[in-house]
Amino acid sequence: MLTPTPRPLRRAAAALALTASLLAVPVASDASAAETGLTLAELERSAGKTVDTTVPGVTRTTYLGGAGGPWIVNVVVIDPDKAPLTLHDTTGADLAVAETTSSMLQGVSVNALRRPRVGVNAAFFDGHVSYPATSGYDGDIGGIAVQGGKLISEAARGKGNKPVGSAAVLQHGRLYITELATTLTIAPADGSTAARQLDGINRFPGRNAHCEGAEPGETLDAEGICHDPSEIVSFTPEYGARTPSTAAIARDTDPDNPTGETAVSTDEGIELLLDAGAKVTACYEPAPPAGSTCRTGTRGGRTVPSGGRVLQGIGEGADWLRAHAPVGAVLDLAETVTDTRFGDTVTLDPSMDVTAGGDLLLRNGAIQYVQPATYPNGTPFVPDAAPRTALAADGFGRTLLVTVDGYHPEVSQGATRLELATLLRDLGAVDALNLDGGGSTTLVWQNTVVNHPSDGNERERLVADTVYAGAGGYPLP
């Protein structure tokens, strides 16, 4: 049996080596995995199975029916050894505004023939914020995100209050599922002051919808959202909209059924503009004290400089910026990404995309999902059969995109996370992640939505990002 060497670790090579090594590992039995309900054996017994191989290197199998269902399940297998294929993630036109999966994929290329062959919705996201500059819908990704080798969203804790969230690394047409942590710091470049934590990237200061448990100084509300009155958040050009202000309103329930609204943060704080060299070129706050280099102005409503950043500080974070980042100062913004499976620092390069995962469903062919006893607010957990989207790697270096339709009992009743994990294991997956589901579950095949989205009248839901496979071997125009 091949044994992968964890150091030095190259992401694409590690993904292939790890999965290939598992071909000789017997599938672990899991007493907690229900063998009833949605299973591959049940789907195979159904007469409604179709296979589409019109895309070189990609096979889409659709299962319809099942005596215990019915179900509609799509299984897409992407094999970069069979055809020149890329595997990427896109957030669409920008991070600030959520879009439909199909519109994001259309935006990859102006040429319909060069658009992605297949794609699914990806990460969980904060869809509870209404703000004019983001067209009324915030798409903050629930954890780490990397686009073209650039970190655009910080890591978050994992589901079940795990220290680190799962993530999908996409590189050279391969998928590698792991746990990635980020360490973000800010300090004057001259070394005059010790570094302070940079709390977030491209999200609203004071609000972390993906915390999975409060840190010291934070409070956790009934919706599972952490609130921190003292933060520094960095905005990059990928944010794509004017920086957020205190006009941002958070809904306290699902965005489709809001029952109450509160301000994300009423602290005007301070806002700094940085050029490509991390030099502070401008500073704004409502009432600059005597001797300040700041101009009079409220926080938010400004465009991120090309190649530069905007920093927003509230509470103690604002105090730190006032004291250590005057106009003209050069700042050191350090970002470290660590693969906690091996303790390695990950070198980001333009060939790499990363999206955050939800629950880890499979690791080394064994089911990892453990059903929680309660929801974050303490109420008893009830497993629900819902639409699901999953991303997985098998033992041959192939990537699986799987969707299960739901919320249409007469057509497809959906799946629990445990059922999804069991199905993926039976499909030959080695490592697998649960992605955002429910009304977000969407599968686009050759520029057409082919599943049954459940977000009201089978319309597509606005989501934060998508994972897709496209033509490789030459760049997309």
Side-chain angles (χ1 to χ4, degrees):
M1 183 177 73
L2 297 175
T3 302
T5 301
R7 295 180 180 83
L9 185 66
R10 295 177 179 172
R11 302 299 126 186
L16 186 57
L18 283 169
T19 53
S21 70
L22 294 165
L23 290 174
V25 179
V27 175
S29 61
D30 192 321
S32 67
E35 299 299 340
T36 59
L38 176 59
T39 63
L40 181 59
E42 180 67 36
L43 292 176
E44 290 287 1
R45 282 194 289 268
S46 172
K49 174 182 175 181
T50 60
V51 179
D52 188 337
T53 58
T54 55
V55 177
V58 184
T59 300
R60 171 188 163 215
T61 303
T62 303
Y63 297 94
L64 304 174
W71 291 286
I72 299 177
V73 178
N74 279 279
V75 178
V76 177
V77 179
I78 302 163
D79 189 347
D81 292 331
K82 295 290 182 66
L85 295 168
T86 61
L87 195 62
H88 286 294
D89 179 87
T90 179
T91 55
D94 54 55
L95 273 168
V97 182
E99 300 177 43
T100 63
T101 298
S102 60
S103 66
M104 287 187 191
L105 298 182
Q106 289 171 6
V108 170
S109 174
V110 296
N111 185 342
L113 296 177
R114 300 290 298 127
R115 288 176 185 151
R117 306 308 195 233
V118 61
V120 294
N121 66 289
F124 287 82
F125 62 99
D126 185 5
H128 296 246
V129 177
S130 176
Y131 181 59
T134 62
S135 301
Y137 208 86
D138 177 47
D140 176 35
I141 291 174
I144 187 170
V146 174
Q147 295 268 298
K150 184 171 183 180
L151 186 65
I152 58 174
S153 180
E154 78 278 10
R157 284 189 179 188
K159 295 294 183 179
N161 205 24
K162 294 180 180 177
V164 182
S166 298
V169 180
L170 312 171
Q171 191 173 29
H172 305 307
R174 308 282 183 181
L175 167 66
Y176 168 60
I177 294 174
T178 189
E179 289 76 45
L180 298 179
T182 52
T183 302
L184 312 175
T185 59
I186 179 173
D190 62 9
S192 59
T193 303
R196 182 204 187 275
Q197 176 181 338
L198 182 67
D199 298 279
I201 303 175
N202 293 318
R203 66 166 174 82
F204 291 90
R207 175 185 174 86
N208 186 350
H210 321 290
C211 58
E212 295 291 329
E215 299 285 351
E218 298 178 342
T219 58
L220 180 68
D221 68 18
E223 299 294 323
I225 296 168
C226 287
H227 303 271
D228 188 341
S230 296
E231 286 197 319
I232 299 177
V233 172
S234 168
F235 293 86
T236 69
E238 289 77 13
Y239 187 69
R242 294 185 181 275
T243 52
S245 73
T246 55
I249 298 296
R251 301 180 175 121
D252 63 4
T253 59
D254 187 275
D256 298 320
N257 299 289
T259 60
E261 297 181 337
T262 57
V264 172
S265 174
T266 59
D267 186 350
E268 288 289 354
I270 192 171
E271 182 167 76
L272 277 61
L273 275 62
L274 278 62
D275 65 16
K279 179 180 179 180
V280 181
T281 59
C283 171
Y284 299 90
E285 57 178 318
S292 173
T293 58
C294 291
R295 306 175 190 175
T296 301
T298 56
R299 170 170 63 88
R302 296 178 179 85
T303 300
V304 180
S306 177
R309 296 191 185 220
V310 169
L311 298 178
Q312 289 191 348
I314 60 174
E316 178 275 329
D319 293 338
W320 191 95
L321 290 173
R322 291 187 187 100
H324 304 293
V327 172
V330 177
L331 301 178
D332 182 7
L333 300 169
E335 301 173 345
T336 302
V337 178
T338 304
D339 186 330
T340 61
R341 290 182 68 193
F342 303 111
D344 290 332
T345 298
V346 178
T347 300
L348 304 181
D349 67 66
S351 67
M352 181 187 295
D353 290 350
V354 176
T355 188
D359 292 287
L360 180 66
L361 300 177
L362 296 176
R363 170 69 75 207
N364 297 348
I367 292 176
Q368 299 296 301
Y369 176 72
V370 177
Q371 184 173 294
T374 64
Y375 292 102
N377 62 9
T379 60
F381 182 84
V382 179
D384 59 329
R388 303 288 178 189
T389 303
L391 179 62
D394 72 5
F396 298 94
R398 301 178 299 194
T399 297
L400 280 66
L401 307 178
V402 177
T403 61
V404 181
D405 287 347
Y407 296 160
H408 300 286
E410 71 286 355
V411 179
S412 183
Q413 66 177 359
T416 67
R417 289 176 177 83
L418 190 55
E419 286 178 322
L420 181 62
T422 303
L423 175 62
L424 289 162
R425 183 193 64 186
D426 294 346
L427 286 166
V430 172
D431 294 336
L433 281 179
N434 180 55
L435 300 179
D436 192 13
S440 298
T441 290
T442 307
L443 173 66
V444 177
W445 175 259
Q446 299 203 75
N447 306 316
T448 301
V449 177
V450 294
N451 75 315
H452 295 73
S454 59
D455 196 17
N457 199 28
E458 296 193 9
R459 68 172 185 249
E460 282 189 79
R461 173 173 286 179
L462 304 176
V463 297
D465 67 326
T466 70
V467 169
Y468 69 88
Y474 42 91
L476 291 170

